Structures are given as C-alpha cells and as structure tokens.
Amino acid sequence: MIELQHLTKTYKTRTGEVHAIEDINLTIEDGDIFGIIGLSGAGKSTLIRCINFLEVPTSGKVLLDGVDLGALTYKELLNTRRSMSMIFQGFNLLSQRNVLKNVTYPLEIAKVPREEAIARARELLAIVGLSDKEKAYPSQLSGGQKQRVAIARALATNPRVLLCDEATSALDPTTTQSILDLLKHINKTMGVTIIVITHEMKVIDSICDKVAVLDKSHIVECGRVRDVFTAPKSDIARELILPMARTLPDAIEGTKLRLVFDGEDARQPFIAGLIMECGIPVNILFADTRESDGAVYGQMLIQLPDNEDTLARVRAYLDAKGITYRKEV
Ligand SMILES: Nc1ncnc2c1ncn2[C@@H]1O[C@H](COP(=O)(O)OP(=O)(O)OP(=O)(O)O)[C@@H](O)[C@H]1O
Ligand SMILES: [Mg+2]
C-alpha cells in the first residue's frame, strides 16, 4: 500500500516560489490501477516523481507499506526504488543498446548474473510481444513497440509498483489501447500496482479502478472511476470528462441530460426509442461512445424541450432501460 500524507513540493525559481503540489493525501492499495488526471501544469509529473522520491518532497510523507521513504538512507532508498519502476511519454530507451540490452540494463545495475538477466529479459519480451525484436535498435521501432520495450525494462527488477507518466500520450488511439491492454494484463497476471498519470479521461476510463483529479496542485476529487465519471463534482472533472461540452454555446436552451453507457446492449437503439416511444424531439449535442463486443461505452449529451412532463417521461424511459443519466446545468 502507498500512502501519501500532506505531500507538498515547492520549487524555488528566480521569479518566486512555484507550489507544484500542495497537501496531497491519497491511499493506493496493492493491486489497484490508480489514475491521476489533470490539465497541463496541474502538478501530475511532480506528484508521480515525488512518489518514488526522484523528487524529494518539500514536506509531507510517502509511505510504502508503512515505511517512510523520507526516513531511509540513500542506499535503502535506492533499494526501495527498485520496487517502483517508471515509464514515460518519451520512452527513454538507450539508443546505443539493442532491445534485449535495454531490458537487461536495470539487471546489470542490480548485478544480476548475465545469463540470468538475458533469460529474464527474453521472458519479459515474450510478455510484451516483442520476442522477434530483441536485436533491433530503438530507432528501428514504432512508438508502440518502444513503449513495450520500456515496459519490459521497467518490469525487469520485479517491481511491485509501475508508475506511468503520460505513457500513451505520444501514441495513436489504436496503439494506445494495445498498450493499455498490456498494462491491464500485467496488473492482472503479475499483481503489479499501476499508477497512471494522464490528461485523457479515456485512459482512466479504459483501465483504472480509481481516480484522483488534480487541479492547480490540489486533489479536488477522488473515488471509484464509475462514480467520478457519472457524477463529477468539480468543474475540472466535468471538463475533463466531457471536453466537447465546454465548446457548446452557453445559450443552448432546454434541458440537457448526460447519458452514461457502461456496457449496455448496443443493439438497443436508445435515441430512436426515446423519439418514437416517448414522441419527444431529442437533439444530440455531443457523443463520445464506442462499441465493444455488442456493448456500448461512453457518454452522450442530449437536449430536450424544457418542460417537466417531457423530463418525467424521458426519465421513466431511461430508468426502464437501465441507463445512467444526470441532468446538466
Ligand atoms: N523543476 C522545476 N522547477 C520549477 N518549477 C517546476 C519544475 N518542475 C515543474 N515545475 C512547475 O510545477 C508546476 C507543475 O508541473 P508538472 O510538470 O508537475 O505539471 P504536469 O501536470 O505534469 O503538466 P503536463 O501535463 O504539462 O506534463 C508547473 O507550474 C511547472 O512549471
Ligand atoms: Mg507532466
């Protein structure tokens, strides 16, 4: 378990102090896939770097299974850090080393015998699906393949925690999904706790169990993804969840409902049903839904005529279909 207690990091710059993170309190349980989401400059990278003490916090504590990282000697800290690996947006591979040697690198540092290191690296390359690339150099790989090598390297020392700082931000949507699937697989099969930092709600939605929303150096809300997703309390969470809604003109009249789909049967034509069964003109303002195995996921913002009777009928219809919705203001 990782506990962050009153974690604060202040940078002193020539133009004054920058409070990158302030009074962060979080508990991350073993086996969680925990997301931290926020806009650029919110303090996400600072927070994740403080978790493994790459950045020494100005005040507050990081406890790993009750052990206060700030109380360790440098040598103890190096040892502990081996159980917390990190991957980055820019992959950070060693360009002079081939794939296999990138993966064995942390094992060399840990003085693992060569044969053993190579066997372990091959095992990991098989897990990330790159067994045929062990002799390739980073420049010969695609972005997704580079991130797979970085993941294999991060897992080489058998970490208990994997910290991911915008690990999929440089990748296209399909490659992003394949990397997220791989992270989920690693979490499930190896029991590695994963902390994911991102500015994309899709990443959180796709793999995280819990999420904390970071805004201007503070955690503004935290909870199960499903709860935050369906009922965001902070303005910033609403903006991150429905980015397009922000660009809608304020003057849009009528009642706005946000529908949340979480695996509903995709064969049911909800909107057509609303229009035909309830006889209500429905306008789709925004939709970000996807289908997977006949189930629909995502969100939709619809506009209805502004009267109580209409709303009551729509509510009854959605309740009967088991669709989650919120009235937007
Ligand atoms: N080494 C540093 N020295 C001074 N200020 C810093 C330093 N690192 C970060 N900051 C400042 O701290 C704040 C938070 O930065 P951080 O990199 O943690 O944000 P972020 O949420 O990761 O942003 P992004 O999504 O753009 O990566 C910013 O105002 C940034 O300018
Ligand atoms: Mg960052």
Side-chain angles (χ1 to χ4, degrees), residues 149-178:
V149 176
I151 290 170
R153 181 179 61 181
L155 294 174
T157 50
N158 269 319
R160 295 183 32 224
V161 182
L162 182 61
L163 306 171
C164 313
D165 190 354
E166 300 279 7
T168 54
S169 297
L171 306 174
D172 66 56
T174 310
T175 312
T176 291
Q177 197 52 50
S178 77

Side-chain angles (χ1 to χ4, degrees), residues 40-67:
S40 184
K44 304 182 296 296
S45 295
T46 305
L47 175 57
I48 209 164
R49 291 164 63 87
C50 282
I51 293 177
N52 65 358
F53 262 60
L54 267 181
E55 203 78 76
V56 180
T58 310
S59 62
K61 281 185 184 172
V62 177
L63 305 178
L64 180 64
D65 294 333
V67 175

Side-chain angles (χ1 to χ4, degrees), residues 139-153:
S139 62
Q140 298 167 314
L141 302 177
S142 70
Q145 290 170 333
K146 284 181 197 166
Q147 197 57 292
R148 284 171 186 271
V149 176
I151 290 170
R153 181 179 61 181

Side-chain angles (χ1 to χ4, degrees), residues 9-14 16-21 37-49 55 89 165-166 169 197-199 214 217:
K9 177 75 190 180
T10 306
Y11 293 107
K12 289 198 169 59
T13 68
R14 267 184 295 162
E17 291 192 334
V18 178
H19 303 286
I21 53 167
I37 189 167
L39 297 175
S40 184
K44 304 182 296 296
S45 295
T46 305
L47 175 57
I48 209 164
R49 291 164 63 87
E55 203 78 76
Q89 177 173 2
D165 190 354
E166 300 279 7
S169 297
I197 291 246
T198 181
H199 62 276
L214 193 63
S217 324

